[in-house]
């Protein structure tokens, strides 16, 4: 353990995992409660289009993914607010469009052959100070928004119709939530990749919900559980020379299925 922590890239990886856990704990809890997992999946996979745009036009991938993810999130929010009957088909189309656009633009980028695996399955060991700053800034923004508007987020999450009657602008906070989700997706891509983002955003909140009676406690426990998953996954990947992002999700998945099995066993 001491040898592992003496390496700078491992220190950055552990710090990045903890910071991402805060983002996934806060935003992931809202995503799970509001049943927006499929929307988050569409934005996560569609974000690859932003990465393709960034490489093709020569600017930072993090910036490209952020802008494109926000655009997709706002588009999805607009469509789902207007028509909830067929929104799954629209999200599926956006999901496919973003992935295809990103791959084609990277193919067309002259003299550059990007490693798709690092974006599909994450590259937490390559996290740098710029990425850590991005994730930390996102964490601060998420925490401030939740602290300032906790009652409003709770209201729209548990009973949006009642929230409207109490004067809460449900539409505004719905758009705010999808933008937060977009930033969380981009922050998490670096850790576990866009294919595995949904697992880290949904598994810890699902487990945390069992021990929580309030949204705030659910966010706290979800962040803590996610940090444990990231830490154990990184140790596992270092010891056995495995892909870090996949190792983190394997740990999370094993715990998830164990919890589900125990819940079913207790019911019977």
């Amino acid at each position: 353990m001491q040898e592992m922590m003496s390496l700078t890239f491992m220190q950055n990886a552990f710090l990045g995992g903890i910071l991402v856990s805060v983002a996934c704990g806060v935003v992931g809890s809202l995503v799970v409660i509001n049943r927006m997992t499929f929307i988050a999946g569409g934005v996560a996979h569609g974000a690859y289009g932003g990465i393709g745009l960034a490489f093709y036009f020569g600017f930072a991938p993090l910036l490209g993914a952020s802008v494109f993810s926000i655009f997709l999130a706002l588009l999805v929010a607009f469509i789902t607010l207007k028509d909830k009957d067929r929104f799954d088909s629209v999200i599926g189309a956006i999901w496919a469009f973003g992935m295809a656009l990103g791959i084609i633009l990277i193919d067309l980028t002259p003299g550059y052959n990007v490693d798709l695996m690092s974006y599909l399955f994450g590259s937490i060991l390559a996290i740098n100070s710029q990425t850590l700053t991005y994730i930390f800034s996102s964490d601060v923004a998420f925490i401030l928004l939740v602290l300032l508007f906790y009652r409003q987020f709770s209201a729209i999450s548990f009973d949006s119709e009642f929230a409207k009657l109490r004067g809460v602008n449900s539409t505004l906070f719905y758009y705010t939530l999808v933008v937060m989700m977009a930033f969380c997706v981009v922050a998490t891509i670096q850790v576990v990749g866009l294919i595995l983002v949904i697992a880290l955003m949904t598994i810890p909140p699902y487990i945390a919900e069992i021990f929580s009676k309030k949204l705030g406690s659910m966010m706290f426990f979800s962040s803590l559980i996610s940090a444990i998953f990231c830490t154990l996954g990184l140790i596992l990947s270092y010891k056995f020379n495995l892909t870090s992002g996949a190792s983190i999700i394997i740990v999370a998945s094993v715990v998830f299925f164990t919890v589900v099995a125990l819940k079913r066993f207790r019911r019977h």
Side-chain angles (χ1 to χ4, degrees):
M1 187 69 177
Q2 185 176 1
E3 178 189 351
M4 180 173 61
M5 291 307 298
S6 66
L7 303 170
T8 303
F9 69 89
M10 287 303 298
Q11 295 171 7
N12 289 340
F14 277 105
L15 180 58
I18 292 171
L19 291 175
V20 160
S21 296
V22 175
C24 288
V26 173
V27 180
S29 296
L30 290 169
V31 167
V32 169
I33 289 176
N34 285 276
R35 298 181 180 180
M36 297 171 64
T37 303
F38 191 52
I39 296 176
V43 173
H45 287 74
Y48 197 72
I51 294 171
L53 285 168
F55 281 111
Y56 186 78
F57 291 105
F59 54 90
L62 207 58
L63 175 62
S66 299
V67 173
F68 199 70
S69 294
I70 292 171
F71 167 73
L72 291 181
L74 292 174
L75 177 62
V76 168
F78 176 77
I79 293 171
T80 54
L81 279 172
K82 297 293 182 181
D83 182 13
K84 294 186 180 293
D85 293 332
R86 296 293 180 185
F87 84 94
D88 54 339
S89 301
V90 175
I91 294 171
I94 290 173
W95 182 319
F97 167 74
M99 289 288 292
L101 178 66
I103 293 170
I104 288 174
L105 287 174
I106 287 175
D107 286 342
L108 294 175
T109 302
Y112 193 85
N113 184 21
V114 67
D115 180 16
L116 295 178
M117 295 292 286
S118 63
Y119 292 100
L120 295 178
F121 297 101
S123 183
I124 190 172
L125 299 182
I127 281 183
N128 52 31
S129 57
Q130 181 184 6
T131 306
L132 290 174
T133 302
Y134 178 95
I135 302 172
F136 177 75
S137 301
S138 299
D139 285 349
V140 172
F142 297 154
I143 292 171
L144 286 176
L145 282 169
V146 169
L147 289 175
L148 290 172
F149 303 107
Y150 179 79
R151 291 173 61 189
Q152 289 86 340
F153 279 119
S154 295
I156 67 166
S157 297
F158 293 105
D159 194 337
S160 60
E161 294 301 322
F162 180 73
K164 288 180 181 179
L165 294 175
R166 295 297 299 269
V168 177
N169 191 336
S170 299
T171 301
L172 174 62
F173 281 99
Y174 185 71
Y175 276 104
T176 303
L177 177 54
V178 296
V179 171
M180 290 168 64
M181 182 181 65
F183 277 110
C184 183
V185 162
V186 175
T188 313
I189 283 175
Q190 182 74 34
V191 176
V192 294
L194 56 88
I195 287 180
L196 305 175
V197 162
I198 300 306
L200 199 59
M201 286 182 68
T202 56
I203 291 177
Y206 174 85
I207 298 173
E209 193 174 14
I210 300 171
F211 310 103
S212 311
K213 294 182 179 180
K214 294 183 179 180
L215 178 60
S217 59
M218 180 179 173
M219 290 178 174
F220 172 78
F221 284 120
S222 179
S223 299
L224 181 61
I225 293 167
S226 181
I228 293 172
F229 289 161
C230 288
T231 301
L232 292 177
L234 279 170
I235 294 173
L236 184 67
S237 68
Y238 181 82
K239 292 292 184 182
F240 299 99
N241 194 27
L242 303 172
T243 303
S244 302
S247 299
I248 292 170
I249 300 304
I250 282 293
V251 171
S253 299
V254 168
V255 175
F256 170 77
F257 289 121
T258 303
V259 168
V260 170
L262 288 174
K263 280 185 67 177
R264 290 184 179 274
F265 179 76
R266 287 184 63 182
R267 285 178 185 174
H268 294 291

